[in-house]
Amino acid sequence: MPLVAANWKMNPTNEDDALDLVRGVLSVARGHADRVEVAIFPPFVWLSSVGAVLAESGVKLGAQDTFWEMSGAYTGEVSPAMLKGWCQWVIVGHSERRLYLGETDEMVAKKTAAALSSELGVIMCVGELADHYDAGTSDQVVSAQVKAGLANCSADDSARLVIAYEPVWAIGTGKNADPEHAYKTMRLIRRVVGEMIGAGAARKVRILYGGSVNSKNVQQYVELPLCDGALVGGASLNAEDFAQIVKVTAEVYGHR
Ligand code: PGA
């Protein structure tokens, strides 16, 4: 089943707006829950109240990050053991965390393994910077990120593992990757995942596209043969736009 994930990032700034947004999304997403897996990633502080709205709806809840230890003296961090009771999913290695918080591939690998060991599903983000794209080194950068990020994973993790290919130059910029570039990179990702956990298991790992996805351009990505859905930032803050992304994805996969 395809997955459409809403990464709210550090939005909205108050709980009432968060609840309005999730109710708006739910009113439409609920009708497609049998054809598209939908997951909402609010900020940590709204996980409980957004989760209460989503209860029994079939729409999943996720956290935008996690730490790699389960408990201890790690000020400000939230562990997979804590999230397990609230969420089904967690995002790791988002480019904004790599950029602003200095997250390394090694940290991403530790977070991925810790979250999987707590039975959370993991969306691991990879993607090249504009400089890499311009220099023609996207493939090297992305395959190194995938290899390093999956260093502690095995074939058993495949059903709960998702890789989001997000060219960093396309995130929040309104610039979209050419579908041909996205397709080639996803094919590379599938191959590298296969090298890491075995080709059979790699086929179960879903691959998403992310980077300025909206209701008008989502079709060209979810139509790609290797694309299993989308990770949506900005457009997920508008309930109508996000619901339309879910609807288009359901239609495309309904015809496969
Ligand atoms: P965007 O963000 O859709 O606003 O480009 C995507 C993401 O960062 O996951």
Side-chain angles (χ1 to χ4, degrees), residues 55-182:
E56 315 290 324
S57 70
V59 173
K60 311 277 174 60
L61 183 69
Q64 296 174 18
D65 185 38
T66 189
F67 195 58
W68 56 79
E69 296 291 347
M70 296 301 158
S71 64
Y74 303 102
T75 302
E77 294 300 327
V78 178
S79 78
M82 294 166 176
L83 293 172
K84 194 176 162 179
W86 297 99
C87 303
Q88 294 81 39
W89 284 102
V90 66
I91 295 173
V92 302
H94 191 278
S95 63
E96 285 148 15
R97 298 200 59 85
R98 293 179 191 257
L99 186 64
Y100 302 125
L101 283 302
E103 277 198 16
T104 62
D105 286 336
E106 196 192 352
M107 289 154 84
V108 173
K110 289 202 279 185
K111 290 179 176 200
T112 301
L116 288 168
S117 78
S118 293
E119 284 161 22
L120 291 162
V122 172
I123 299 181
M124 188 180 99
C125 302
V126 297
E128 78 279 7
L129 301 174
D131 285 353
H132 303 131
Y133 182 71
D134 293 341
T137 57
S138 305
D139 283 6
Q140 287 94 310
V141 171
V142 170
S143 68
Q145 287 174 337
V146 174
K147 264 189 201 148
L150 298 184
N152 310 318
C153 293
S154 71
D156 296 342
D157 300 319
S158 58
R160 278 183 292 114
L161 188 60
V162 173
I163 312 279
Y165 169 53
E166 300 201 298
V168 179
W169 48 270
I171 294 179
T173 57
K175 288 185 199 153
N176 298 110
D178 166 41
E180 177 71 13
H181 173 74

Side-chain angles (χ1 to χ4, degrees), residues 9-77:
K9 308 191 180 185
M10 204 167 70
N11 302 291
T13 51
N14 71 74
E15 191 168 24
D16 288 343
D17 290 347
L19 295 178
D20 282 349
L21 179 56
V22 72
R23 285 191 194 105
V25 169
L26 196 55
S27 63
V28 180
R30 186 179 253 142
H32 301 284
D34 56 334
R35 285 185 295 162
V36 184
E37 182 173 359
V38 177
I40 313 275
F41 295 76
F44 284 118
V45 284
W46 317 132
L47 279 177
S48 160
S49 51
V50 168
V53 174
L54 294 180
E56 315 290 324
S57 70
V59 173
K60 311 277 174 60
L61 183 69
Q64 296 174 18
D65 185 38
T66 189
F67 195 58
W68 56 79
E69 296 291 347
M70 296 301 158
S71 64
Y74 303 102
T75 302
E77 294 300 327

